[in-house]
Amino acid sequence: MTIPDKKIYPRTNDFETVYLKGVITNSNIIVGDYTMYNDFVSDPTKFEKNNVLYQYPINKDRLIIGKFCSIACGAKFLFTSANHTLKSISTYPFPIFFEKWNLGKEHVMSAWDNKGDIVIGNDVWIGYEAVILSGVHIGDGAIIGTRAVVTKDIPPYTVVGGIPAKEIKKRFDEETIYKLQQIQWWNWSFDKIQQFLPYIMNGEVDNLYLSIT
């Protein structure tokens, strides 16, 4: 499924909201269709620079965001290079300043602990100024509260908040979550989503489930 008109701005005369896929140039940032970012403080088209931090090419770590996600103003994604290694006695990143300390350039990456990719599922809502740390995986349909700091994986359809982020509640019961994971409506064609949109918007999971069984 692709955005039919390939718009950057989803709404007429709204230049604070963008489809992220249309503004990404970094090959290590992968964004699904219709995922949007809103920024009323800075230019939302500068998402790569302002919101994806410490993603240095030497690490080859990736930010992967699914389809139909909603990312609020100021949300940040902090990558491995923000993590000074805990293996050293000192917290100072000596390997970064290899020239000063006569260290080998090839050991630069030993200055931090590599936590890996950040992977965001589909239909995830990330609240205002939330922070997602490297290595975290967030399941489909999850909600990340305002200014939460996510340090660990979040299961699908789970609401979290706080510092560090902790589970507040499940959005649905286990049977409903199972059905939603089977449905995966975000992978449907544009026409099918439009056809079943009333069921999606009204929370009629059983009717959606019948469409795949």
Side-chain angles (χ1 to χ4, degrees):
M1 179 175 59
T2 57
I3 300 170
D5 48 18
K6 297 184 179 179
K7 283 185 176 180
I8 292 177
Y9 300 101
R11 300 191 298 180
T12 303
N13 297 322
D14 175 6
F15 301 104
E16 295 181 347
T17 305
V18 295
Y19 285 133
L20 269 185
K21 188 173 184 177
V23 302
I24 295 301
T25 60
N26 184 341
S27 61
N28 285 326
I29 301 177
I30 302 165
V31 181
D33 295 332
Y34 296 98
T35 284
M36 65 173 185
Y37 173 61
N38 172 267
D39 198 322
F40 51 82
V41 176
S42 303
D43 181 353
T45 67
K46 305 297 183 183
F47 177 85
E48 286 180 350
K49 177 181 179 181
N50 296 335
N51 303 78
V52 184
L53 309 180
Y54 299 98
Q55 191 189 29
Y56 299 151
I58 192 173
N59 292 318
K60 300 180 181 179
D61 39 15
R62 300 174 299 167
L63 171 59
I64 302 172
I65 305 175
K67 303 173 184 178
F68 291 97
C69 293
S70 304
I71 304 175
C73 181
K76 299 289 193 296
F77 302 84
L78 268 61
F79 275 89
T80 286
S81 300
N83 298 312
H84 293 202
T85 182
L86 298 181
K87 298 175 183 177
S88 173
I89 292 173
S90 174
T91 62
Y92 191 81
F94 286 103
I96 293 177
F97 305 104
F98 57 90
E99 294 170 309
K100 176 68 175 178
W101 299 101
N102 196 28
L103 298 170
K105 185 177 181 180
E106 67 274 13
H107 300 302
V108 168
M109 292 177 64
S110 66
W112 50 76
D113 295 330
N114 195 334
K115 300 293 182 67
D117 299 339
I118 296 175
V119 181
I120 313 297
N122 304 281
D123 193 25
V124 173
W125 174 17
I126 299 176
Y128 175 72
E129 291 189 344
V131 177
I132 316 299
L133 300 189
S134 59
V136 165
H137 290 211
I138 297 176
D140 298 326
I143 297 176
I144 311 303
T146 296
R147 291 180 172 163
V149 177
V150 184
T151 63
K152 297 180 180 179
D153 292 354
I154 305 300
Y157 294 96
T158 302
V159 181
V160 302
I163 305 175
K166 295 181 180 180
E167 181 175 328
I168 297 172
K169 65 177 181 178
K170 298 289 187 183
R171 291 182 58 196
F172 308 102
D173 60 49
E174 292 301 325
E175 181 181 355
T176 301
I177 290 174
Y178 171 80
K179 289 179 178 178
L180 287 167
Q181 290 180 297
Q182 298 303 305
I183 294 167
Q184 296 186 10
W185 63 265
W186 46 82
N187 287 327
W188 292 355
S189 67
F190 179 89
D191 290 340
K192 186 173 181 179
I193 292 175
Q194 193 168 50
Q195 177 186 351
F196 288 92
L197 198 55
Y199 293 154
I200 295 171
M201 293 173 62
N202 293 325
E204 298 180 36
V205 177
D206 287 339
N207 285 326
L208 290 178
Y209 192 65
L210 287 173
S211 71
I212 67 165
T213 57

